[in-house]
Amino acid sequence: MTVVGRLAAASAGVGIGAGLGGIGWFYSGVLLDTRREVVYPERVLGVTRGAVSLAESRLTRQPGTWGLRWAGGLARVGPVSAVVDGAVRRPLLGGDVPVAGTAAVLDTGPWDPDPAARGLAFDDVDVPTPLGPAPAWLVPGGSDTWVVAVHGRGGSRREALRVLPALHALGLPVLVVSYRNDGDAPASPDRRDHLGDAEWEDVEAAVRFARERGARRIVLYGWSMGGAITGAFLDRSAEAADVVAVVWDAPLVDWRATLRLQARNRRLPPGLTPLATAITSRRIRIDFDRFDLRRRPPAVRPPTLLVHTDDDTAVPVSASRALAAAAPGLDWALRYVEVAGLEHTAAWNADPAAYEETVTSFLSEVLAPWRRDGTR
C-alpha cells in the first residue's frame, strides 16, 4: 500500500473510531438519562358494547389482563376476544373509557394511583435515605416478616399494585419503596442513573426503616432493574443477613447481556456494547462484572423465586436461564419459572391467579419454619 493509501486508511479508521465513540457516548448517555418519556404507540379504533378495538400490533395481541393507558386515562382490559381485519378486540373490565382515535399504550399496570385502588389500607411514609426522604407506601400486616418491593428502571411504585392483595392475604406487611431519580425520591447529585450501583443504598435504608418498625425478617421483591438493585444489596449491605426470601420478576441479572439485547433491538453495531459499557464505567464508576450474578453471585443468597417470560425484549430471558442452571453450583436455592409468549414483567398479566399462586406457595413454604416455631 502506498503512503497515501495508508494515510487514507488510517484517516478512515480514525473517522470510524470517532463515529463509534460518539455513538457509544450517546448510547451511554441514554442509559444514564433519568428523564422518562411516556410514549403511546397504539391506537384506539373504537369502543362498543363494553369492549375496545385496538390497531393490531405485537403488543396489542399480548394475552391476558392489561392496563390501557393514554394521556389522562387508564382502563383495565381483558384477554383478546377477536382479531379481525387489523383490529384487536378486548373487553373493558374497568377504569376510564377511551374514545376512537386515542393514542395509547398497553401497560402491565392496570391500576392507579396507590394501594387504595386494590382496596387496601395503607400509610404514606418517608424512608430516610442517604439523599433525603424517599416516599413509600406501607401496607400493614400482622407478620413480623416484611416485604420490601422494588420497581424497575423507568417504572414506579404502582408496579407492585398487581401483587399487593396476594401478599396482604399472607399477612405480610409490604413496604413499596421509591429510590433515587425515579421521579418520587431525591435525585442523585450527578443527576444520572447508576443502574443499581448506588440505588441499593436506598433499599438498605428501607430495610432499616422496616427493622425499626418491628420487622424481624425481610422478603425482597424486585422487578426488572429492581433485580439488579436488590442483587447489589444482597452483595454489599450489612442488612442482607435479615433477608429470608427473594422474588424476582424478569430481573436484570447480567447488565452486559441486557445491553447487548437492547443494542440489537435498536439495530446498533455489535461492537458498540463493549464501547458503551466502557464509557459508562468511566462516567459513573460502575463495575459491570459485579452485575453478572452467574459469575459473581451475591454474598447472601436466600431462597429465590425467579419468574421470567420467554418473549422479553427488554431484559434477556437467557440470562435468567443461565443463572437458574448455575444456581445449584452456587449454593443458591433458586426456583425458576418461565412463562411463554409474554413481554417484559408480564407474567402476572398472562394469568394473575397462576402467578399469585406461584408466589404465595413459594413464600408460604420458605416462611413455614418461622410460623411453626410460634413466631409470626
Side-chain angles (χ1 to χ4, degrees), residues 12 22 28 77 128 141 148 159 163 170-171 184 297 305 312 332 366 370:
S28 171
V77 299
V148 174
E159 193 151 34
V163 299
L170 292 178
D184 289 336
L305 171 65
D312 191 331
W332 195 342
V366 171
W370 289 282

Side-chain angles (χ1 to χ4, degrees), residues 129 131-135 157 177-188 202:
T129 75
L131 298 182
R157 286 178 284 163
V177 304
S178 59
Y179 53 83
R180 60 193 68 189
N181 298 318
D182 72 358
D184 289 336
S188 57
D202 300 335

Side-chain angles (χ1 to χ4, degrees), residues 39 41-42 54-63 66-68 80 88 90 104-108 313 342-344 346:
V39 296
E42 317 301 342
L54 304 169
E56 184 178 2
S57 71
R58 176 178 172 273
L59 188 56
T60 60
R61 292 192 305 269
Q62 290 274 292
W66 291 71
L68 181 68
V80 174
V88 177
R90 310 183 76 119
V105 62
L106 225 60
D107 190 322
T108 55
T313 60
L342 273 299
E343 251 297 352
H344 187 51

Side-chain angles (χ1 to χ4, degrees), residues 200 204 207-208 211 232-243 300:
W200 70 268
E204 181 179 66
V207 169
R208 288 174 176 157
R211 288 300 307 267
F233 168 87
L234 290 170
D235 192 48
R236 308 181 203 182
S237 176
E239 310 294 333
D242 293 329
V243 178
V300 176

Side-chain angles (χ1 to χ4, degrees), residues 143-154:
S143 175
D144 56 9
T145 299
W146 285 39
V147 179
V148 174
V150 185
H151 66 77
R153 183 174 184 266

